Amino acid sequence: MSGPVTNTVEPVPDEGIIQGASKLTPEKIERVINKVLESEAGARLKTYVDTCVHCGLCSEACHFYLSHDHDPKFSPAGKVKQTIQEILKKKGRVDADFIKRAAEIAATECNICRRCSMYCPFGIDIGYLMLTVRRICHFLGVTPRYIQDTAHSHSATMNQMWVRDDEWIDTLMWQEDDARREIPDLRIPLEKEGADIFYSVIGPEPKFQAQLIYQAAVIMHTAGLNWTMSATPGWDNSDMCMYTGDFEMTARLKKTHFEAASRLKVKKIVMGECGHAFRSVYDVGNRALGWKMPPIPVIHAIEFYYELIKGGKLKIARKYSKPVTFHDPCNMVRGRGLHEIGRYVTKATCEKFIEMEPNREHNYCCGAGGGVVNCGPPYKMKRIESSKVKAEQLLAVKAKGAKTIIAPCHNCHSGLEDLIRHYKLDMDVKFLGDIVYETIEKKK
Amino acid sequence: MHNIYSLVSGPLAWVSFILFVGGCLYRLTSMAVVAGEKDSMVYAYMSFRYALRSIFHWIIPFLSTNTKKHPFFTVISFAFHISLLAVPLFLIAHIILIKESWNISWWFLPDTIADFLTLVVIACCIYFLVRRIIRPEVKFLTSFSDYLLLALIAAPFITGFWTYHQFAGHKIMGIIHILCGEIMLAAIPFTRLSHMIFFVFTRGYTGSEFGAVRHARDW
């Protein structure tokens, strides 16, 4: 394995954290923390922190801990000890340096992948505890600059990437135009009231991965589906605010998304291959709005392809020939249990499938999720080093013959591509949609 | 000596029972009330079926991945918890005391087995202590209260063993034993020993979220 791993925790210089912390006073910190604790943190926080017996059994669940040679500072309970436990113990009387470190731990040393909940005998939701720390840091104005910029984009434009309304429509028309060279009567329907499917994507797709929308359109066209996209804000299903601790914005974003779908009177929402966005729509945002389950049925692309292939609406012309492995994204697997149907689609479209170990609910995180990759360049090397165990896992499956990693999640893609480059793994990463698009019999 | 014995086995025993039962009820009620006020989602998502599914997978050794990964620790911790509950509840000396007071009794453990299980608890406590000191990931999490808690658990068993075997000073030790047992019982609701009452709720809630909402396994 190339790339040395350091065990020292040097603070990463981040303008957002440094400048935010410079404006703090001890009084403000105490007031803000106690306001959050009084108004929001309730039975779960207290029970979780009081119940933990400090046994350390969660440690090996965490890829940060495993990648940093079992440094206890990176164990899930270790991160709790350095952040929320201390905050509770001191009743909010902590200083600005403490908040800086807590912000860095919560925002960049935990992917909120929830693997540790499966290793803690008590099922303590440490991801929730880290999100509570992020929530406090959000109110204190101490957040990493890059992800905060994304959160600003969300609040100003209702999409993640500062995409202007006209640019969004323009991008769809451009993709439609391009796709018509392949399929002359293909459409990317916009604002089609009464369509069966509302297809939503994350901001980065129109911004720099527009071919994914092209591919989705070809799949929809081939399956003969009645679908639409929204021309107004609400087309973007992503949500970095959920990860900065700005839950009010999460509610606004999801309201806009659900309202766009309900305005178009669709039967269901199909989401592109993004994990965090699915978590936000299916699990977090609906709750923020007071819905136990999403008000409109929501399915992730994995489930969508599964239904189309199983139902015979898509026929496989020629299977993908390179041996593949399947990376289970946390939000699709621990978040929605799509591991078996993901394998169904993979086996239906690929000639040879090789399992990586561990897999399914126990798969290691890509290292990019939970908003960590969105914290940007300052943390890139730390993120890559903190996923050494993921790189080792990939190397092991490569040794068994796998050449392509199927990762049905945008964040996982970014994370895995960085790992492949840094650790010189020489593998490809593909979306399930890439494979489906490539292998189906297309309707001309 | 007789007066002290009467005190610890009479009024103090009542204080300890009341603190234990009252404390547990208080902690559970306040958790339920606060959950209603600030975490009402807990009530919405708690699923009896999936809570039980998760608890089942964690209460049986070697069903969950993590218990399989640490076979030695799993055996130790299950032996510890079983012995810890079985000895005080099924020790004939305890049952006789209860029969004398309230004229109720139940099945008891043969003394040799109870004696062995007492040693199991003490040995496990020593193991936990050593593990806390030598395992870096556990040491990092350890504070003074963790050692205190371990001492709180070991004390009634060490003193009970001493008393049963009538080592030197066993009469005083008997009184200390009762006192230690009372302190431990009373401490359950107010310390991290409260995992005894909260385990089913934390595990059950995570099991509910994983099972009913996320359609995934949590073991």
Side-chain angles (χ1 to χ4, degrees):
Chain A
M1 234 22 20
S2 62
V5 164
T6 47
N7 279 335
T8 49
V9 188
E10 285 290 319
V12 171
D14 181 307
E15 284 304 311
I17 289 181
I18 294 168
Q19 287 184 19
S22 71
K23 294 174 196 149
L24 294 176
T25 60
E27 295 74 36
K28 184 179 178 185
I29 295 173
E30 191 181 346
R31 182 167 43 81
V32 168
I33 288 176
N34 285 307
K35 187 169 167 273
V36 175
L37 295 182
E38 275 161 31
S39 59
E40 299 177 23
R44 282 185 300 158
L45 180 75
K46 183 162 174 49
T47 310
Y48 287 151
V49 175
D50 284 356
T51 302
C52 174
V53 293
H54 307 159
C55 68
L57 285 174
C58 55
S59 309
E60 283 168 33
C62 185
H63 52 284
F64 280 88
Y65 173 82
L66 295 172
S67 299
H68 286 275
D69 299 329
H70 298 211
D71 182 340
K73 287 191 285 300
F74 291 98
S75 83
K79 289 176 240 183
V80 172
K81 185 189 164 88
Q82 295 170 81
T83 57
I84 192 76
Q85 193 181 316
E86 194 70 8
I87 287 172
L88 288 172
K89 202 169 104 187
K90 295 198 171 151
K91 298 190 168 61
R93 284 189 281 275
V94 292
D95 60 17
D97 282 339
F98 177 89
I99 293 295
K100 273 156 88 173
R101 177 75 191 119
E104 187 174 337
I105 291 172
T108 74
E109 293 173 16
C110 171
N111 294 96
I112 329 235
C113 78
R114 297 198 188 107
R115 194 172 189 260
C116 45
S117 295
M118 301 170 44
Y119 285 74
C120 169
F122 303 144
I124 293 175
D125 188 351
I126 296 163
Y128 158 75
L129 298 178
M130 288 298 115
L131 281 176
T132 305
V133 178
R134 293 189 190 185
R135 177 78 170 152
I136 290 170
C137 293
H138 159 68
F139 279 124
L140 288 170
V142 183
T143 43
R145 184 167 69 169
Y146 279 81
I147 193 171
Q148 189 57 50
D149 177 75
T150 309
H152 289 328
S153 168
H154 276 307
S155 53
T157 65
M158 303 308 276
N159 73 69
Q160 201 193 120
M161 289 275 144
W162 302 101
V163 177
R164 285 174 17 192
D165 291 353
D166 58 336
E167 288 172 348
W168 159 245
I169 296 168
D170 198 46
T171 305
L172 296 182
M173 290 171 75
W174 160 43
Q175 287 308 308
E176 186 181 72
D177 240 20
D178 266 11
R180 275 169 169 254
R181 256 176 263 163
E182 189 182 353
I183 302 173
D185 62 342
L186 180 137
R187 294 295 317 268
I188 295 184
L190 264 180
E191 292 297 302
K192 186 175 175 189
E193 200 177 289
D196 294 333
I197 292 167
F198 176 87
Y199 186 64
S200 61
V201 296
I202 60 168
E205 292 205 11
K207 193 80 177 182
F208 48 73
Q209 289 165 299
Q211 82 284 358
L212 293 174
I213 299 173
Y214 171 129
Q215 287 178 181
V218 170
I219 293 170
M220 296 278 186
H221 176 85
T222 300
L225 300 171
N226 181 12
W227 67 296
T228 187
M229 293 185 100
S230 169
T232 62
W235 58 263
D236 179 347
N237 52 30
S238 72
D239 173 13
M240 274 303 134
C241 300
M242 157 177 88
Y243 288 142
T244 58
D246 188 351
F247 302 154
E248 287 74 16
M249 261 313 297
T250 288
R252 274 185 68 205
L253 289 167
K254 294 310 109 169
K255 187 162 180 275
T256 309
H257 180 245
F258 284 132
E259 281 181 353
S262 87
R263 177 171 54 76
L264 294 171
K265 301 185 173 64
V266 297
K267 295 200 177 75
K268 67 179 169 191
I269 297 170
V270 173
M271 299 181 52
E273 284 181 64
C274 182
H276 95 273
F278 187 81
R279 178 183 186 143
S280 174
V281 175
Y282 177 78
D283 195 334
V284 178
N286 55 315
R287 297 181 190 203
L289 292 168
W291 294 90
K292 185 177 173 185
M293 294 309 276
I296 299 167
V298 176
I299 64 168
H300 184 266
I302 301 176
E303 205 175 345
F304 181 58
Y305 305 143
Y306 168 79
E307 285 174 2
L308 295 180
I309 292 173
K310 189 117 198 270
K313 288 200 167 160
L314 292 179
K315 299 263 182 295
I316 306 305
R318 191 171 48 86
K319 284 191 172 189
Y320 184 76
S321 60
K322 283 195 212 170
V324 301
T325 185
F326 190 83
H327 165 81
D328 293 281
C330 65
N331 290 319
M332 297 350 307
V333 172
R334 279 188 287 282
R336 183 55 186 81
L338 298 183
H339 40 281
E340 297 306 340
I341 65 172
R343 280 164 179 73
Y344 177 94
V345 176
T346 303
K347 286 171 188 167
T349 51
C350 300
E351 275 175 10
K352 191 167 176 4
F353 168 66
I354 302 165
E355 200 72 86
M356 64 172 85
E357 297 292 336
N359 55 54
R360 297 179 169 81
E361 287 100 332
H362 291 272
N363 184 33
Y364 291 130
C365 172
C366 62
V372 174
V373 70
N374 308 73
C375 292
Y379 301 94
K380 186 176 174 185
M381 278 321 294
K382 181 176 170 185
R383 170 167 57 81
I384 290 171
E385 287 171 358
S386 300
S387 288
K388 193 179 78 170
V389 69
K390 181 76 210 176
E392 284 164 358
Q393 180 196 23
L394 294 175
L395 201 65
V397 72
K398 186 189 173 191
K400 288 185 194 167
K403 296 223 169 353
T404 299
I405 307 160
I406 296 178
C409 167
H410 275 280
N411 274 333
C412 295
H413 259 245
S414 315
L416 297 178
E417 275 167 2
D418 284 340
L419 296 184
I420 287 168
R421 266 193 299 275
H422 179 79
Y423 294 101
K424 300 181 176 61
L425 299 178
D426 189 27
M427 296 172 92
D428 309 319
V429 193
K430 286 198 180 279
F431 286 105
L432 208 44
D434 293 330
I435 306 266
V436 171
Y437 167 79
E438 211 177 306
T439 57
I440 52 170
E441 228 170 79
K442 293 181 191 74
K443 193 175 108 191
K444 298 288 173 183
Chain B
M1 183 99 97
H2 201 75
N3 286 342
I4 302 174
Y5 178 81
S6 307
L7 179 72
V8 295
S9 65
L12 286 186
W14 277 109
V15 169
S16 154
F17 289 145
I18 290 166
L19 281 174
F20 170 66
V21 176
C24 287
L25 288 176
Y26 166 74
R27 289 298 308 271
L28 289 174
T29 322
S30 65
M31 178 184 74
V33 170
V34 177
E37 284 168 2
K38 296 191 207 164
D39 292 308
S40 51
M41 40 141 10
V42 169
Y43 288 99
Y45 292 102
M46 194 63 124
S47 143
F48 190 66
R49 180 182 156 205
Y50 287 108
L52 281 186
R53 182 181 80 158
S54 179
I55 292 165
F56 173 80
H57 280 92
W58 282 91
I59 213 157
I60 313 266
F62 304 113
L63 281 188
S64 64
T65 302
N66 210 13
T67 54
K68 282 181 217 160
K69 282 183 97 143
H70 300 99
F72 184 69
F73 187 80
T74 300
V75 169
I76 295 276
S77 63
F78 275 87
F80 169 75
H81 282 94
I82 291 165
S83 308
L84 183 70
L85 289 175
V87 174
L89 287 177
F90 302 115
L91 187 79
I92 188 162
H94 289 176
I95 293 171
I96 289 170
L97 284 175
I98 286 164
K99 187 164 170 62
E100 281 173 355
S101 301
W102 301 315
N103 200 29
I104 49 168
S105 62
W106 54 82
W107 178 86
F108 57 85
L109 281 167
D111 267 358
T112 44
I113 294 185
D115 208 32
F116 172 72
L117 295 183
T118 303
L119 287 175
V120 167
V121 173
I122 297 168
C124 289
C125 284
I126 294 169
Y127 171 76
F128 291 145
L129 176 69
V130 173
R131 183 174 177 272
R132 270 209 186 283
I133 295 167
I134 64 166
R135 292 288 293 250
E137 82 274 25
V138 194
K139 189 172 182 205
F140 184 74
L141 301 174
T142 300
S143 54
F144 177 70
S145 64
D146 293 295
Y147 293 117
L148 202 64
L149 226 49
L150 211 48
L152 208 63
I153 295 292
F157 290 86
I158 294 169
T159 53
F161 187 79
W162 193 296
T163 309
Y164 174 73
H165 288 280
Q166 309 212 336
F167 297 148
H170 67 268
K171 283 194 176 142
I172 288 182
M173 207 45 110
I175 290 170
I176 296 172
H177 167 71
I178 299 173
L179 204 57
C180 288
E182 288 163 356
I183 292 170
M184 181 182 86
L185 199 62
I188 289 173
F190 306 104
T191 61
R192 278 193 290 283
L193 298 179
S194 60
H195 69 264
M196 176 178 150
I197 51 174
F198 289 134
F199 164 76
V200 290
F201 297 99
T202 54
R203 188 78 257 165
Y205 183 64
T206 291
S208 301
E209 286 261 14
F210 265 80
V213 181
R214 302 179 185 138
H215 309 283
R217 293 164 294 189
D218 65 328
W219 57 85

